[in-house]
Amino acid sequence: MLDGLNAWQLISSGDAALFAIVKLSLAVSLSAVVLAACIGLPLGAILALTSFPGRSAVVVLVNAFMGLPPVVVGLAVFLLLSRSGPLGDLGILFTPTAMIVAQALLIVPIIAALTRQTIEDLWIEYRDELSAMDVGPFGRVTTLLWDARLSLLTALLAGFGRAAAEVGAVMIVGGNIDGFTRTMTTAIALETSKGNLPLALGLGIVLVAIVLAINAAAWGARVWSERQAG
Amino acid sequence: MRAPITDLPVMFDSVTVRAGATTIIDRLTLTLASGSPTFVVGPNGAGKSTLLRLCMGLARPTEGQMTWGGRTDPKPTRRALVFQRPVMLRRTASANVAYGLTHADYPREKVAARTVELLERVGLSELAMRPARRLSGGEQQRLALARALARDPELLLLDEPTASLDPAATRSVEEIVRAAAQSGIKIVMASHDLGQVRRLAGEVVFMLRGAVLERTLADDFLKNPSTPEAAAFVRGDLVV
Ligand SMILES: Nc1ncnc2c1ncn2[C@@H]1O[C@H](COP(=O)(O)OP(=O)(O)OP(=O)(O)O)[C@@H](O)[C@H]1O
Ligand SMILES: [Mg+2]
């Protein structure tokens, strides 16, 4: 009970350490979503609209990768970026950049899989109409992505939720360095094990609040644009 | 500017379409040239929609040849199709028309003004900013017409555009079609409404089981059809 009270004091007093952590977490997860969207949206659209040998295998693989354990992704990125790894020369291990890369890899499959499903369904509906209007391949992709924007926003949110909530990947590639790579989730894990429950709880509350706020904003955007375009 | 390419006449040379073991179109030979509206009539499943899809280049012959203005390339340059069940893009009514214009290479700076004109032509000016998918069936049908006219077609294919509309909506669609025909657009329209044939058709192509049984002036078709099947269809008997 007292822990809860102290947690609330930390939040309401605008505790600097707490808010630095929150800021970094948001920056990392939002950057990861943007990066993953740049890969996942086109990848999903291409998977939906093309056929090539082995396509089914790729679809199954992407679907399966939606459930990748974050620690495994973290480990893979760690091996890539470590001093002796193939990308070791970049020297970005234990930096926020590495964390962004790891989280982006974690959620690319989610965004790609949801995009493929959405675009494929919409293509079945639009196919004849777009062909009759002589819309070329590039126009098809942009039309479908735009007209599916509401569902795709949901896909991006699912990606953000997963990125913001995971611990394993950022812990391994970020190293949980105080003031540099410490995020909400890694801090919660650490502070809990140290017995600093007020800080852990405070961060937990902020994390949940952020996820709620972003989903509420997305819901509002959805309602608004449904009213605009059906 | 668009090259002076023409899509007319559309020629079917012994065209057969099969889906698996079923023959949907059976050795059909037909020429559609400019002139008064051609009505494609026949009972359900006769192959009317498939014929229109072939005209559009959306379906390809399993056997036989097709040409558009002498070309074998089915690229839909100067033709448009209003589907039996048109699909509206998830945008406003106005944006649907603008989309059609843009993809017909209409000059970008004139798209907005032309959109307003086309919406007015189909009587949807007041609903321009409505999401297209919220429009009623009749309004969607008219919007689909505006979007098809946006392609500046010389051949306009219409697949039962009034099948599910009430008399008032039917009349307004018929008016748009009549005006389009008068402006020189060749109309090819599937229908099984004989009243509509009487009101709009110049000639009739009567289809049954994937074949053309009869092709005559609309008056002759209604008054003295030459095949017993067409006679039964005109009398309102079941034709199978
Ligand atoms: N892809 C397909 N596979 C199998 N059969 C098909 C396919 N497309 C159409 N058919 C069949 O071909 C026949 C002709 O279909 P079509 O849609 O051209 O008829 P229609 O004259 O337009 O009928 P309606 O008046 O009901 O619209 C129908 O029996 C239909 O079931
Ligand atoms: Mg039909």
Side-chain angles (χ1 to χ4, degrees), chain B residues 15-77:
Chain B
V15 167
T16 296
V17 176
R18 286 197 201 91
T22 32
T23 302
I24 303 173
I25 296 289
D26 191 10
R27 286 161 296 166
L28 185 136
T29 298
L30 182 71
T31 300
L32 296 167
S34 57
S36 60
T38 300
F39 267 56
V40 182
V41 300
N44 289 139
K48 305 183 292 295
S49 294
T50 309
L51 180 81
L52 295 183
R53 293 174 61 86
L54 281 165
C55 279
M56 197 62 201
L58 293 176
R60 302 294 291 147
T62 316
E63 284 159 29
Q65 287 286 321
M66 289 193 66
T67 55
W68 293 266
R71 287 166 297 120
T72 50
D73 171 21
K75 191 174 159 60
T77 333

Side-chain angles (χ1 to χ4, degrees), chain A residues 122 125-126 128-136 139-140 142-143 146-149 226-230, chain B residues 53 56 58 75-76 79 81 83 86-92 99-100 103 129 131-134 147 151:
Chain A
L122 196 59
E125 195 187 332
Y126 278 15
D128 282 344
E129 208 72 70
L130 295 195
S131 307
M133 282 192 272
D134 200 19
V135 179
R140 285 174 198 175
T142 50
T143 301
W146 176 251
D147 279 33
R149 60 199 178 274
E226 254 171 13
R227 209 171 294 143
Q228 296 295 302
Chain B
R53 293 174 61 86
M56 197 62 201
L58 293 176
K75 191 174 159 60
R79 53 192 195 276
L81 170 58
F83 289 91
V87 175
M88 295 296 134
L89 301 181
R90 288 161 172 75
R91 305 168 189 218
T92 59
Y99 187 91
H103 286 278
M129 296 326 275
R133 301 163 75 87
R134 298 275 172 74
R147 196 171 59 183
R151 297 189 59 71

